Amino acid sequence: MYWFNSLLVLHFITFSKHFLNFAAMCNPRAFVLLVLVLKLLLLASVSAKSNGSQWKTLTGSPPLVIARGGFSGLLPDSSEAAYDLALQTSVADVALWCDVQLTKDAVGICVPDPDLDLCSVISVVFPNQSRSYLVNGVQTTGYFSVDYTFKDLSDVHLRQGVESRSDAFDDFFQILTVDDVTKKIVQTQTAALWLNIQHDAFYRQHKLNMKSFVLSVSKKVRVSYISSPEIGFLKSIKPLVNGKRTKLVFRFLDKNDTDPSTNQTYGSLLKRLTFIKTFASGILVPKGYIWPVEAGYLQPHTSLVSDAHKVGLQVYASGFSNDDSLSFNYSYDPLAEYLQFIDNGTFSVDGVLSDNPVTPSAAIGCFSQLDTNATKRDKTLIISKFGASGDYPACTDEAYNKAISDGVDVLDCPVQMSKDGTPFCLNSIDLLESTTVAKSSFIGNSIVIPEIKSGQGIFAFNLTWTDIKGLTPSILNPSAKFKMFRNPKYMNTGTFVTLSDFLSKTKNETTLPGILITVENAAYLAEKQGLSVTNAVIDALSSAGYDKPGSQKVYLQSTDSAVLLKFKEKTNYELVYKIDKIKYDASSEAIEDIKSFADAVVINKKSVLPWDNGFLTSNTTRIVPKLQASNLSVFVETFSNEFVSQAWDFLSDSTVDINSFIQNAGIDGIVTDFPKTAARYRKNRCLNLGEKTPPYMLPVQVGSLYALISRLSMAPAQAPAPLPLLTESEVVEPPLPDVAERASAPLPRDPPVTKNAQPKVTVCYLSNAAVFVAFFLLL
């Protein structure tokens, strides 16, 4: 409506020019009055413009969310469950995408490809019946819809066509007709129908008329969008559809592919947008057409969106999937990718085609156009995991700087001790885990210390601080077995920092509410290495002025209750007890004991919401409310952006993961290696809305997917397993030993073998041959 208001103002101003001349001559008072009225009207117009749509789409409307085959990122593409989940979790006007294929008897079905073997179990139902056809000039072998009547397909069920996704829902859902999908849309009254006609030329070869089928559908229901990569099809159908009811969209494929109706490549057609406007109102392009990616990183955006908007074409982007390979610029956060396309300050696409429609729905409805200084709507603490270690090597200056700029509340430093007694920040006492020490001259320092870890290690206390700070950091890759690696361009960036340097930096950060110091292996370091890590921490905090009253809070964390008791005896800082095993409940005795030395507890995500084969099995456990009832804050770890770290219930979306834990379990803090994702969550406008909370910001229904699997598979019910219970005996630890006198030798030798004595600590030096083998195993 803004254009209409502007037109009225324009006409009024034109009329007023003439009236002003008249009023100035005839009535000075009328002249002054009219000037005031005009001024107010113009101010109102400017205000209307500033308060109007901020969307940089062609029409100024919010971008369209298009659910490709429903929620195909989790459930089989175009299955009933996929369409239902899309409707339940998306914006109200979501467009349900149907890839239309035709059967032998001309029934329109929704499946992603003419080759049904790619998305169903047809080869099991009809073994050894594959055939070969030319599809867009390419000889293709498979099970094609044109060879089967719809009745033939009644026993053919859909399956997940992407191997990286769960197969738990395979072979349960029947193939739907286009009519089946339209009925769902009619029931919602707000959702839209998008028919994609990908292979009109192929069906014409088999004497099947796709144009007639689409027109028959459009006569019965409103088809809001029809897309095709074939110019000939769109041109033929344009005179036969109502342009006000149905938008025709030309779909671009790979730039080197060829449109079968014109024999022109899509790359060359990209330069003919004015021509495309003669038969289409919009274009659908792969997202790389807009934001190219090279070597995993974003390049400057193209001018495609602005060029298309200039000629009146809407631009829809395809290829969005939460579990696809995202640019490293997005830090494995799919919501960040959508915001790049719809809220970058320069342009916005008019819609996105997504396998996971919940994420663009939230991006549009909750996270777009947020001011950088937007108010926090949630008080859950954000605690870093080795700084922003999802983006930079753990505990480096780069990781810490990134975490602070991302909005972390509590910056963490796991303290290790060097051989010469320097406390410094590093995620592990074993340097092999986050440095390239295995490729250095220190590889000969590999030893085995069972009290610390199984297997070999190169331990911090065997190298001086000068040695350690000269090592090259190496980024952590917890999902490497899934071939998901973090930020390779910066995988060895940054420098390690001493605890003193860490404290000096954090003390001067006025936007940082607190710090967390983690201490582990204190007993071993005191007894076997003559190093008191607890005293080192206390002294460093005092030297930095943290023992004096101030605005920043200090948390001291350990899995060892004896460490926390030592800190409680000598300091007044907040103490955090980490439970390093999965526990669903805790005995009253255990909780009372924890209360005697701790103010907060850190537990694993699976202690809060149990998993089985990647699916949440039940509601939240008892442990969080029990701990909170005893006035213990509960922090949960680790929240990572990589979808493989999350249960399938969280829809491959780290924001859904965070939201569900906070809303379902009411936790007090989240520990994350991607603080930016969590900080952004707390500012989204869809929090604290009560019954008005949109569906895409509701927490997941815990156990609903697991129940669906059980119902579909008819698996026999199993007796519930006993709940893992934290007992008092697991909490109580012996007191820390006295600090032993330090040995003068640089490294301990193997203890002599005696007949009647077994050494308490086993230290095994590797032979030269073993070191050589170990070195290559570590590469």
Side-chain angles (χ1 to χ4, degrees):
M1 288 297 291
Y2 173 69
W3 65 269
F4 179 71
N5 293 334
S6 300
L7 192 62
L8 281 178
V9 172
L10 183 62
H11 284 306
F12 184 75
I13 291 174
T14 303
F15 164 77
S16 299
K17 286 180 181 178
H18 301 289
F19 188 76
L20 279 171
N21 293 331
F22 173 78
M25 291 185 295
C26 300
N27 191 335
R29 283 189 175 183
F31 173 77
V32 173
L33 181 61
L34 183 57
V35 169
L36 290 173
V37 170
L38 279 173
K39 185 175 181 179
L40 289 173
L41 183 57
L42 287 172
L43 287 173
S45 173
V46 172
S47 176
K49 183 176 182 179
S50 63
N51 294 325
S53 173
Q54 298 298 311
W55 291 107
K56 296 183 181 297
T57 55
L58 180 64
T59 63
S61 301
L64 179 70
V65 176
I66 312 157
R68 194 188 69 81
F71 212 117
S72 55
L74 174 65
L75 297 156
D77 193 312
S78 305
S79 64
E80 182 174 19
Y83 284 121
D84 286 343
L85 186 59
L87 291 171
Q88 293 165 11
T89 59
S90 306
V91 290
D93 61 348
V94 62
L96 297 188
W97 169 284
C98 166
D99 283 297
V100 182
Q101 316 300 338
L102 295 178
T103 63
K104 187 176 183 179
D105 51 346
V107 175
I109 57 176
C110 294
V111 286
D113 197 89
D115 180 5
L116 302 181
D117 197 30
L118 299 176
C119 58
S120 76
V121 296
I122 191 169
S123 60
V124 176
V125 180
F126 299 104
N128 304 316
Q129 292 188 22
S130 63
R131 301 186 67 176
S132 293
Y133 292 118
L134 275 177
V135 181
N136 287 357
V138 179
Q139 195 70 30
T140 307
T141 300
Y143 285 76
F144 293 89
S145 62
V146 295
D147 293 323
Y148 302 90
T149 65
F150 183 66
K151 184 178 180 181
D152 294 335
L153 301 177
S154 59
D155 293 326
V156 176
H157 293 166
L158 297 167
R159 67 175 177 85
Q160 180 57 258
V162 180
E163 291 184 3
S164 61
R165 295 170 181 170
S166 173
D167 61 359
F169 305 100
D170 287 2
D171 200 13
F172 296 127
F173 301 106
Q174 290 182 312
I175 294 173
L176 298 182
T177 65
V178 174
D179 286 344
D180 293 329
V181 178
T182 59
K183 289 176 183 176
K184 292 183 177 296
I185 291 173
V186 170
Q187 290 172 356
T188 68
Q189 298 182 344
T190 55
L193 177 63
W194 186 307
L195 300 182
N196 181 56
I197 313 302
Q198 195 79 0
H199 299 286
D200 175 58
F202 171 75
Y203 287 107
R204 281 190 282 109
Q205 292 171 9
H206 292 270
K207 306 295 188 278
L208 291 167
N209 194 322
M210 184 65 78
K211 181 173 71 173
S212 296
F213 173 77
V214 171
L215 290 175
S216 68
V217 174
S218 64
K219 290 177 181 178
K220 293 183 291 184
V221 297
R222 178 174 181 172
V223 180
S224 299
Y225 303 89
I226 299 174
S227 61
S228 176
E230 299 181 18
I231 291 176
F233 175 78
L234 292 176
K235 279 188 170 184
S236 69
I237 205 169
K238 179 177 172 58
L240 306 175
V241 298
N242 185 336
K244 294 181 180 180
R245 287 168 50 91
T246 304
K247 293 183 178 180
L248 300 184
V249 180
F250 179 56
R251 184 177 191 183
F252 282 80
L253 304 181
D254 186 272
K255 291 181 180 180
N256 295 320
D257 288 343
T258 301
D259 166 32
S261 59
T262 63
N263 289 324
Q264 296 184 58
T265 65
Y266 292 102
S268 63
L269 289 169
L270 196 63
K271 303 173 184 177
R272 304 184 61 192
L273 296 178
T274 303
F275 164 67
I276 293 171
K277 184 67 175 68
T278 62
F279 59 85
S281 63
I283 57 175
L284 173 64
V285 299
K287 60 187 181 182
Y289 275 43
I290 300 169
W291 284 97
V293 175
E294 292 183 12
Y297 290 90
L298 286 180
Q299 303 303 303
H301 66 79
T302 68
S303 61
L304 176 58
V305 176
S306 59
D307 292 344
H309 283 177
K310 285 177 184 177
V311 301
L313 284 170
Q314 292 183 302
V315 181
Y316 305 94
S318 65
F320 291 91
S321 174
N322 289 7
D323 55 1
D324 199 2
S325 298
L326 304 181
S327 165
F328 292 112
N329 298 74
Y330 304 128
S331 300
Y332 288 103
D333 177 10
L335 199 149
E337 181 180 35
Y338 289 106
L339 291 174
Q340 184 85 352
F341 279 80
I342 67 172
D343 191 26
N344 56 58
T346 303
F347 65 84
S348 171
V349 296
D350 300 279
V352 290
L353 177 61
S354 173
D355 292 7
N356 304 74
V358 65
T359 308
S361 295
I364 294 166
C366 304
F367 292 92
S368 61
Q369 302 169 13
L370 285 180
D371 192 289
T372 54
N373 297 318
T375 303
K376 296 176 184 178
R377 300 168 185 261
D378 180 81
K379 62 181 181 180
T380 308
L381 277 180
I382 301 173
I383 307 164
S384 69
K385 182 81 167 182
F386 320 138
S389 58
D391 293 302
Y392 292 97
C395 301
T396 59
D397 55 344
E398 295 283 3
Y400 286 136
N401 290 336
K402 181 73 162 58
I404 293 170
S405 65
D406 286 345
V408 74
D409 293 319
V410 181
L411 193 67
D412 74 308
C413 168
V415 176
Q416 313 301 338
M417 298 293 289
S418 68
K419 179 181 175 181
D420 50 352
T422 301
F424 66 98
C425 303
L426 195 60
N427 60 293
S428 173
I429 195 172
D430 181 9
L431 301 174
L432 289 171
E433 294 188 15
S434 55
T435 76
T436 59
V437 68
K439 298 180 181 180
S440 74
S441 60
F442 299 112
I443 183 63
N445 287 25
S446 300
I447 56 177
V448 176
I449 304 179
E451 287 93 331
I452 296 179
K453 63 174 290 186
S454 61
Q456 65 178 6
I458 299 177
F459 297 98
F461 51 77
N462 281 337
L463 273 69
T464 67
W465 170 240
T466 300
D467 296 332
I468 293 168
K469 71 179 180 180
L471 296 174
T472 301
S474 182
I475 201 166
L476 300 175
N477 285 300
S479 302
K481 67 178 180 179
F482 300 103
K483 298 182 178 179
M484 299 181 73
F485 301 94
R486 292 174 170 176
N487 206 5
K489 185 185 293 186
Y490 302 102
M491 63 181 297
N492 300 120
T493 300
T495 57
F496 298 122
V497 297
T498 64
L499 175 59
S500 175
D501 290 339
F502 173 86
L503 295 175
S504 296
K505 177 179 180 57
T506 56
K507 191 68 174 175
N508 295 323
E509 292 289 345
T510 57
T511 61
L512 185 66
I515 60 171
L516 181 143
I517 308 298
T518 301
V519 172
E520 300 295 346
N521 304 300
Y524 176 84
L525 290 172
E527 185 177 10
K528 303 300 180 182
Q529 299 298 325
L531 296 169
S532 176
V533 62
T534 53
N535 287 343
V537 168
I538 294 170
D539 292 344
L541 286 167
S542 178
S543 297
Y546 274 100
D547 58 344
K548 299 176 178 62
S551 58
Q552 287 176 317
K553 184 172 286 190
V554 176
Y555 297 88
L556 301 178
Q557 175 181 304
S558 182
T559 58
D560 190 337
S561 60
V563 170
L564 298 180
L565 284 167
K566 177 69 72 175
F567 281 135
K568 183 173 183 179
E569 176 187 331
K570 296 186 176 183
T571 71
N572 292 315
Y573 304 123
E574 296 279 315
L575 303 178
V576 182
Y577 180 58
K578 179 177 177 178
I579 302 173
D580 56 356
K581 294 181 180 179
I582 296 175
K583 299 292 182 180
Y584 296 169
D585 200 352
S587 69
S588 299
E589 295 80 8
I591 293 177
E592 285 299 314
D593 201 45
I594 293 172
K595 282 179 59 180
S596 69
F597 60 79
D599 306 286
V601 177
V602 174
I603 59 178
N604 188 279
K605 289 171 70 176
K606 292 183 180 180
S607 292
V608 182
L609 292 171
W611 295 12
D612 182 23
N613 292 321
F615 291 93
L616 301 180
T617 57
S618 64
N619 288 321
T620 53
T621 62
R622 301 173 184 174
I623 193 164
V624 172
K626 269 198 172 183
L627 292 169
Q628 289 177 336
S630 296
N631 293 321
L632 289 165
S633 299
V634 180
F635 307 147
V636 179
E637 68 174 17
T638 302
F639 288 83
S640 298
N641 284 358
E642 292 95 341
F643 75 94
V644 293
S645 70
Q646 306 153 11
W648 288 112
D649 303 64
F650 301 129
L651 310 176
S652 301
D653 186 330
S654 48
T655 299
V656 174
D657 185 17
I658 292 170
N659 183 56
S660 297
F661 270 88
I662 291 177
Q663 302 301 329
N664 281 330
I667 61 179
D668 301 292
I670 67 171
V671 182
T672 174
D673 34 20
F674 294 93
K676 185 175 184 178
T677 305
R680 183 192 59 205
Y681 164 80
R682 295 190 306 185
K683 296 180 179 180
N684 88 79
R685 68 175 66 89
C686 297
L687 295 178
N688 306 319
L689 297 181
E691 294 181 355
K692 295 182 179 179
T693 302
Y696 39 83
M697 193 46 64
L698 291 172
V700 300
Q701 296 181 7
V702 178
S704 59
L705 290 178
Y706 194 76
L708 178 62
I709 296 170
S710 300
R711 178 167 56 83
L712 294 173
S713 62
M714 304 300 289
Q718 298 180 355
L723 295 178
L725 179 73
L726 181 69
T727 62
E728 184 180 18
S729 62
E730 295 174 280
V731 176
V732 176
E733 301 280 355
L736 289 180
D738 293 334
V739 180
E741 184 177 347
R742 301 208 62 192
S744 58
L747 287 173
R749 295 291 182 182
D750 285 316
V753 178
T754 58
K755 189 172 183 181
N756 299 317
Q758 178 68 29
K760 193 170 184 180
V761 179
T762 304
V763 180
C764 305
Y765 282 84
L766 302 175
S767 67
N768 290 337
V771 169
F772 183 80
V773 172
F775 174 79
F776 282 97
L777 288 175
L778 288 166
L779 292 179

